[in-house]
Amino acid sequence: MLVSLRDVHKSYSEAAGRTAILCGVDMDLAAGETLALTGESGSGKSTLLHLIGGLDSADSGQVILDGQALSALDDAALAGLRRTTVGVVFQQFNLIPSLNVADNLAFQARLSGRHDARRIADLAQRMGLEPHLRKYPEALSGGQQQRVAIARVLATAPKLVLADEPTGNLDEASAAVVLDLLLELVGETDAALLMVTHSAQLAARMERRLNLQAGRLA
Amino acid sequence: MTGPVLWALMGHWRRNPLQLFTVLAGLALATALWSGVQAINAEARASYRLAADILGSADRAQITARVGGSVSVADYVALRRGGWRVSPVLEGRYDGIRILGIDPLTVPRGGGGLPEFNRTDIGAFLTAPGLILGRAEVLDRLRGRTLAGFETRPLLAPNTAVMDIAVAQELLEVDAGLTRLMVDPQQPLVQVSLAQIAPHLQLTPPEAGADVARLTGSFHLNLTAFGLLAFAVGIFVVHGAIGLAFEQRRGMIRTLRALGVPLGQLVVVQTLELLCLALIAGAVGMCGGYLMAAALLPDVAATLRGLYGADVSGSLHLRPVWWLSGFAIALLGTGLAAAAGLWQVLRMPLLAAARSRAWALASRRAARWQAGAALALLALAAVLTGFGTGLMAGFVLLAALLVGAALALPLALDQTLALLAGRAKTATVAWFWADTRQQVPGLSLALMALLLAMATNIGVSTMVSSFRQTFVGFLDQRLAAELYVSAQNAGQAADLQRFLEGRVDAVLPVQSVSRPLMGVPVAIYGNRPHATYRDNWQFLQAVPDVWQRVAEGKALIVNEQLFRRAGLQLGQKLAIGPDQSLGSSLEIAGIYGDYGNPVGQVVITEDLFKQLYPEVVAQRFGLRLDPSQVSILRGDLMKRFDLSESNVIDQAQIKALSLAVFERTFTVTAALNVLTLALAGFAILMSLLTLAGLRLPQLAPVWALGVTRARLAGFEVLRAVILAAFTSLMALGLGLLLAWVLLAVINVEAFGWRLPMDVFPAQYARLGALALMAALLAALWPAWRLVRRSPADLLQVFSNER
């Protein structure tokens, strides 16, 4: 298995006390598999995604990614995993505002030492970003920015792509284009895809679907 | 991996060139002001060292006359015959140049700071017409005034010319006698004692004499304090700009970490980035500091010569230590300005970074901390005012007062604006006050910088103007004689006195000896009882019949410096004779102000002075006469006694000279004052420009609700002026407090005298108008840009999608 979660718990402390977000989650994700994670707001979908991506740590239980227990890794090792094994696509795009589109596309590949100019050029062309390569993020529409974010992740050919509501900020037409491209490219690289979404329509396009309710998988 | 991360971080500066300019310019200006002051101090200290080294008393013993006057050649010969390895020195001033007459054959080994001599040098040095060694600028001033040859020695002490004793005698117009004998550290085991050979001479051990470096310490400490203040104002600017950059990059930091950049590496790369900025700004600042120091050094040199008689080179030399310290201060400044930002990055959880917050929006906790720190510092200042002693305590008091008030400024503004918002009658006015209150955190650093610069300006200008007013009055008191004449020798002095009988109303000899008294170097004067002193001298404290008691030889008067340094009391008995017994019954009958003089003074009556120091012959005289006769008598004296212009000076000349020295003394202070104020103006401008870019989301809703862009721009300008006005008012209070500390605490500790404080409302009004004008000008550009913004720009605020 590429990803295995065993009895994972996570809670946050708030003014009123600790609030449990995940309560004993078990799940697996195989290499190359696509999985939709659905659930109501506050059900713990994004938290689960963050735990798998090494962006946050579980209170208890085990998160195993590519054979490594994340709880045993320090900050530098987790960062290394994010550079090479995992690619995260955020709802808010999170492009680097000080870099233009071309530099944003190449950025993660340079970080991971997997920079391949031809692949990036190919991704840019397929994403329809060629006319915008010299522009800065704020000059792009939301759909264009999300396409840059997806291409940036796929330029490193990660084993796992985590997408947190990747079309949440886009109109219907843009969302369809972005999802098509994401699935197409993930399929080509044989990467696994775990996508958090509210949309039943988008979830239906994944191979498998899990529903999270009050911190538990239903 | 470092490359792409550094490139991404640097991209922020590429996209925000104004912010980059603010950081670099602020840091460069701060470094320039600090390093400029340090360059001046280093040059002055190097000059003192050279001057002390060259046949000075820093590291070798000296033999001098016990009660002033000169050492005779006969004494020198007798000492040599008695086994003493001594070398004669004739020292004097010629046109302000320190003339050193020496005997190169007997100068102790090691040279005493003298240049190396070779055979040719010594030959030319000793044979007529002689050879004069010195720096090029010194030799240029002597050309045409002597037949001797010249040889440039750039490493010799500044303003000093070295020559054979015979050449020096000719130049100084001295017939015979030596100033002192320099004692070789290597002495034979057997020698006749000094008391046996010449009981009227005394042996002074090394370092026992007056030390210029010590005397000038306070002056340099003042300069350093000013440099530090200017540096602090600069760091306020840098802190604001770097803080904003860190805040704006929070999102980027989160993304970088999410993409796999380890936290440690991010901190390292950001430190590297700051290092680059510090080095660039440091290099620019060092060049600026050098230029500033080179421009100000001649005035500093003149000040030190006028106040302390210290010779300082008027040209600047680059020293490696100065370069290193300049870069170190630039790095330190960057570190101070960026420490909080870096600390935040280190502590920030990866996901928390996504929660953006408004730049510098002070949290309740931070505001409480700031209020606590302000209160603690102001309390410390109050305690030090009551119980602090010493110069360092004075400077700590100054720092606590300034920093405490600066920290209190945003809180005072916040409370005042909250009060005004509560009393607003219309919705727009209420919004204006509330919005102004919201802007305070973003502008607080610039306003604090303005407060510090203005308060310093008010404080220092009040001190200087008070000093000037007092000094002018003091010159009128002390320079009451219409003409001052100096004889060339004792014989001529006697002839002069005879000639003046009947030609003038009074001849007042100016005669003194230098003696250590209660561990303090003191000049003892013997004044002739005369109405001039009674009518003109004003006392800080005195018994009712002070001049009568002094004239009767029952009492003496002392200057304020001696009074304070030796901890004397009015009515206390003081022993002043050569063996400190004859004058033991003299009580202190008065304390007089003696501004600008670093040395303690005692005045006794002329008769007693002659009794105590019979060897001293007065050679300088103050003459009282009808002012209309001054120029005639001056001409007569010069012609009859072959006196030069510098030997016969009228009152107006001396006053003009003294005032010129005074004015130059504060040239440096005034320059630093203006530069600090300019730096604060720059801070305001940059803060307003930077904030203008962040204002759109706050202004767009108000525009959408029906307030025109022009009106909004008007509010922006009004806001800047109101904030500057409030800061100016606080600066006035703080500045007057600062002036009091400078006059009543720092001055007393540093120089030994206390000045009365006067206030100068016109000066303060001018400064306030200048501050308001600066704020107005700084606000105009962003306001103009706001007026010209298209509605599309404003509408974009309401849209996340394109």
Side-chain angles (χ1 to χ4, degrees):
Chain A
M1 281 296 145
L2 181 67
V3 179
S4 291
L5 271 71
R6 294 289 172 264
D7 194 24
V8 170
H9 290 259
K10 180 72 182 175
S11 59
Y12 291 110
S13 56
E14 289 173 346
R18 286 193 80 79
T19 306
I21 305 294
L22 298 175
C23 312
V25 173
D26 292 283
M27 70 164 269
D28 294 303
L29 180 68
E33 189 181 8
T34 59
L35 172 67
L37 192 58
T38 57
E40 293 173 356
S41 293
S43 60
K45 305 185 295 293
S46 293
T47 302
L48 189 62
L49 193 98
H50 293 156
L51 295 183
I52 296 170
L55 297 165
D56 203 353
S57 55
D59 295 340
S60 65
Q62 271 206 321
V63 180
I64 297 168
L65 174 63
D66 202 21
Q68 298 184 77
L70 298 191
S71 57
L73 302 181
D74 62 10
D75 180 70
L78 286 171
L81 210 63
R82 288 198 297 274
R83 279 198 304 277
T84 55
T85 310
V86 187
V88 187
V89 179
F90 297 94
Q91 184 179 0
Q92 295 295 341
F93 326 133
N94 288 335
L95 299 181
I96 296 170
S98 58
L99 299 181
N100 62 25
V101 170
D103 287 335
N104 261 293
L105 283 176
F107 188 77
Q108 197 169 6
R110 286 200 174 108
L111 280 185
S112 61
R114 295 176 182 170
H115 183 244
D116 179 346
R118 275 199 306 188
R119 177 167 172 73
I120 289 168
D122 178 52
L123 281 169
Q125 189 256 323
R126 291 174 67 183
M127 292 281 192
L129 293 171
E130 274 179 324
H132 309 295
L133 288 176
R134 298 289 142 216
K135 289 182 184 168
Y136 282 86
E138 80 262 13
L140 303 179
S141 69
Q144 287 166 335
Q145 289 193 50
Q146 193 59 296
R147 276 185 270 157
V148 177
I150 291 169
R152 178 179 69 182
V153 162
L154 294 171
T156 59
K159 288 182 180 173
L160 172 65
V161 175
L162 299 172
D164 191 357
E165 301 267 12
T167 57
N169 274 341
L170 306 182
D171 59 62
E172 220 168 284
S174 301
V177 172
V178 165
L179 189 68
D180 287 345
L181 281 167
L182 181 61
L183 288 172
E184 185 183 326
L185 290 165
V186 162
E188 281 175 20
T189 54
D190 203 26
L193 171 67
L194 172 58
M195 183 168 74
V196 167
T197 181
H198 275 112
S199 162
Q201 204 179 344
L202 294 185
R205 298 187 60 183
M206 302 289 128
E207 292 167 2
R208 197 151 62 98
R209 174 178 171 174
L210 289 175
N211 192 35
L212 202 56
Q213 283 181 351
R216 288 190 171 82
L217 285 172
Chain B
M1 196 194 330
T2 304
V5 177
L6 190 59
W7 179 249
L9 288 172
M10 288 299 224
H12 174 81
W13 301 115
R14 286 197 304 277
R15 304 274 292 147
N16 298 280
L18 187 67
Q19 224 174 64
L20 176 65
F21 174 74
T22 309
V23 170
L24 289 177
L27 198 55
L29 281 169
T31 309
L33 286 167
W34 169 259
S35 62
V37 165
Q38 291 311 306
I40 290 171
N41 282 346
E43 194 61 50
R45 289 195 183 109
S47 293
Y48 304 152
R49 257 199 313 279
L50 278 174
D53 281 350
I54 184 159
L55 306 181
S57 57
D59 57 357
R60 17 184 83 71
Q62 313 280 325
I63 290 176
T64 53
R66 211 171 259 282
V67 286
S70 59
V71 178
S72 70
V73 175
D75 286 334
Y76 166 58
V77 173
L79 280 168
R80 292 288 297 190
R81 284 184 180 154
W84 283 81
R85 294 180 66 173
V86 288
S87 183
V89 178
L90 174 63
E91 192 172 346
R93 293 264 167 187
Y94 178 81
D95 194 17
I97 299 169
R98 183 188 180 199
I99 302 292
L100 270 179
I102 61 158
D103 172 19
L105 299 175
T106 56
V107 163
R109 282 196 184 167
L114 280 175
E116 289 297 315
F117 286 100
N118 57 38
R119 278 173 185 277
T120 330
D121 285 339
I122 290 197
F125 199 85
L126 290 173
T127 52
L131 185 67
I132 299 180
L133 310 178
R135 293 188 180 200
E137 66 270 17
V138 174
L139 298 185
D140 285 345
R141 285 164 61 193
L142 290 173
R143 274 181 221 287
R145 301 190 183 191
T146 167
L147 294 172
F150 296 100
E151 195 169 299
T152 308
R153 295 296 172 101
L155 296 179
L156 214 58
N159 201 37
T160 303
V162 178
M163 61 202 75
D164 182 53
I165 286 184
V167 180
Q169 278 178 335
E170 195 186 315
L171 208 56
L172 296 171
E173 298 179 1
V174 176
D175 293 338
L178 304 164
T179 313
R180 56 195 160 93
L181 301 174
M182 192 170 27
V183 181
D184 193 328
Q186 306 291 320
Q187 292 291 326
L189 289 173
V190 181
Q191 59 185 183
V192 184
S193 78
L194 179 66
Q196 239 176 306
I197 301 172
H200 52 282
L201 298 184
Q202 63 181 356
L203 181 70
T204 314
E207 292 271 42
D211 183 356
V212 173
R214 236 182 6 244
L215 275 178
T216 54
S218 307
F219 179 83
H220 292 297
L221 191 58
N222 272 321
L223 265 190
T224 304
F226 220 125
L228 202 59
L229 182 73
F231 179 75
V233 171
I235 293 309
F236 269 99
V237 179
V238 182
H239 187 279
I242 289 187
L244 174 63
F246 270 103
E247 192 59 38
Q248 287 179 335
R249 295 200 312 202
R250 284 169 71 94
M252 194 206 293
I253 299 292
R254 172 205 194 259
T255 304
L256 289 174
R257 287 190 65 190
L259 294 179
V261 181
L263 178 62
Q265 180 155 20
L266 256 180
V267 173
V268 168
V269 173
Q270 287 194 87
T271 308
L272 201 67
E273 175 197 25
L274 290 169
L275 192 72
C276 290
L277 293 177
L279 289 177
I280 294 168
V284 176
M286 295 296 288
C287 296
Y290 177 82
L291 292 175
M292 186 192 101
L296 293 177
L297 193 59
D299 286 319
V300 174
T303 300
L304 291 165
R305 201 174 302 130
L307 273 180
Y308 306 103
D311 289 320
V312 173
S313 164
S315 56
L316 203 59
H317 298 95
L318 291 175
R319 294 179 170 78
V321 174
W322 177 73
W323 280 104
L324 286 176
S325 69
F327 278 111
I329 202 80
L331 287 172
L332 178 74
T334 314
L336 284 174
L342 277 176
W343 179 244
Q344 263 185 5
V345 169
L346 259 174
R347 290 187 55 196
M348 202 162 60
L350 197 159
L351 293 171
R355 290 196 293 270
S356 64
R357 66 188 175 98
W359 170 57
L361 193 66
S363 68
R364 279 168 195 273
R365 211 172 116 202
R368 272 203 299 273
W369 179 89
Q370 193 169 331
L375 274 176
L377 285 167
L378 293 174
L380 173 68
V383 169
L384 284 171
T385 306
F387 305 103
T389 51
L391 191 59
M392 201 40 79
F395 277 111
V396 174
L397 164 60
L398 267 188
L401 201 59
L402 284 172
V403 180
L407 287 176
L409 174 70
L411 306 170
L413 257 173
D414 186 70
Q415 292 303 306
T416 309
L417 291 169
L419 200 72
L420 288 168
R423 293 186 174 191
K425 295 274 189 288
T426 67
T428 316
V429 174
W431 167 79
F432 174 74
W433 290 125
D435 189 58
T436 304
R437 197 177 168 203
Q438 201 186 7
Q439 297 313 303
V440 170
L443 276 170
S444 65
L445 284 173
L447 292 174
M448 283 153 86
L450 182 68
L451 175 80
L452 287 181
M454 281 187 77
T456 309
N457 202 298
I458 290 169
V460 172
S461 67
T462 302
M463 179 195 75
V464 173
S465 300
S466 297
F467 194 179
R468 196 177 197 286
Q469 209 145 295
T470 309
F471 191 67
V472 170
F474 163 73
L475 285 180
D476 289 339
Q477 290 171 34
R478 296 294 291 270
L479 299 174
E482 283 73 22
L483 201 60
Y484 290 85
V485 56
S486 299
Q488 289 166 324
N489 50 50
Q492 193 180 54
D495 293 345
L496 255 173
Q497 290 196 74
R498 272 194 296 277
F499 172 78
L500 289 168
E501 270 172 31
R503 286 186 166 83
V504 294
D505 298 337
V507 177
L508 304 172
V510 181
Q511 51 196 343
S512 68
V513 288
S514 290
R515 302 277 298 164
L517 205 64
M518 303 179 82
V520 181
V522 168
I524 301 171
Y525 280 79
N527 281 11
R528 184 168 293 173
H530 192 265
T532 298
Y533 303 113
R534 272 196 302 275
D535 296 345
N536 291 294
W537 283 37
Q538 285 178 8
F539 289 96
L540 302 173
Q541 289 180 48
V543 299
D545 50 352
V546 50
W547 285 113
Q548 182 62 33
R549 293 184 61 73
V550 172
E552 286 168 0
K554 292 177 184 166
L556 51 79
I557 55 176
V558 299
N559 70 354
E560 189 186 3
Q561 286 83 323
L562 178 63
F563 170 72
R564 289 190 188 277
R565 281 182 199 149
L568 302 175
Q569 296 291 325
L570 195 66
Q572 183 182 335
K573 303 271 173 148
L574 201 59
I576 54 157
D579 53 5
Q580 305 210 348
S581 62
L582 270 171
S584 59
S585 60
L586 293 186
E587 68 166 306
I588 300 171
I591 294 118
Y592 56 93
D594 192 13
Y595 308 108
N597 178 13
V599 181
Q601 261 185 18
V602 170
V603 175
I604 56 175
T605 192
E606 184 184 15
D607 289 344
L608 181 59
F609 184 86
K610 282 187 171 161
Q611 194 185 333
L612 294 173
Y613 311 106
E615 300 86 354
V616 179
V617 178
Q619 293 190 27
R620 191 159 176 260
F621 306 93
L623 309 179
R624 300 303 315 262
L625 67 156
D626 183 347
S628 64
Q629 299 298 308
V630 167
S631 59
I632 300 166
L633 182 64
R634 187 164 184 257
D636 285 354
L637 286 171
M638 286 168 68
K639 199 171 166 187
R640 186 179 179 93
F641 293 95
D642 192 23
L643 293 172
S644 67
E645 288 210 348
S646 60
N647 285 104
V648 192
I649 306 175
D650 67 32
Q651 186 196 66
Q653 271 180 298
I654 293 193
K655 279 184 185 169
L657 197 71
S658 303
L659 273 177
V661 168
F662 179 89
E663 301 297 358
R664 289 196 86 171
T665 302
F666 291 103
T667 307
V668 186
T669 314
L672 287 175
N673 226 340
V674 169
L675 287 170
T676 310
L677 203 60
L679 198 55
F682 175 76
I684 290 278
L685 175 68
M686 287 300 143
S687 295
L688 286 174
L689 285 177
T690 311
L691 280 183
L694 307 173
R695 290 283 286 145
L696 221 50
Q698 293 153 12
L699 294 177
V702 188
W703 166 77
L705 292 174
V707 182
T708 64
R709 279 166 293 165
R711 194 142 183 245
L712 285 174
F715 280 138
E716 294 295 282
V717 174
L718 186 64
R719 173 179 298 111
V721 172
I722 286 174
L723 291 176
F726 186 91
T727 308
S728 301
L729 275 177
M730 254 190 96
L732 179 63
L734 180 64
L736 290 175
L737 214 55
L738 185 68
W740 178 81
V741 175
L742 286 169
L743 290 167
V745 181
I746 300 285
N747 226 39
V748 175
E749 296 292 348
F751 301 109
W753 66 77
R754 180 174 180 161
L755 293 162
M757 181 170 151
D758 297 303
V759 288
F760 305 88
Q763 273 183 32
Y764 310 147
R766 256 199 316 276
L767 182 68
L770 202 69
L772 295 189
M773 190 66 76
L776 180 74
L777 288 175
L780 275 179
W781 168 243
W784 185 74
R785 276 175 50 186
L786 177 63
V787 172
R788 288 180 59 85
R789 270 202 189 271
S790 69
D793 284 345
L794 292 159
L795 281 172
Q796 204 185 338
V797 170
F798 306 108
S799 165
N800 286 324
E801 189 55 78
R802 280 169 60 96

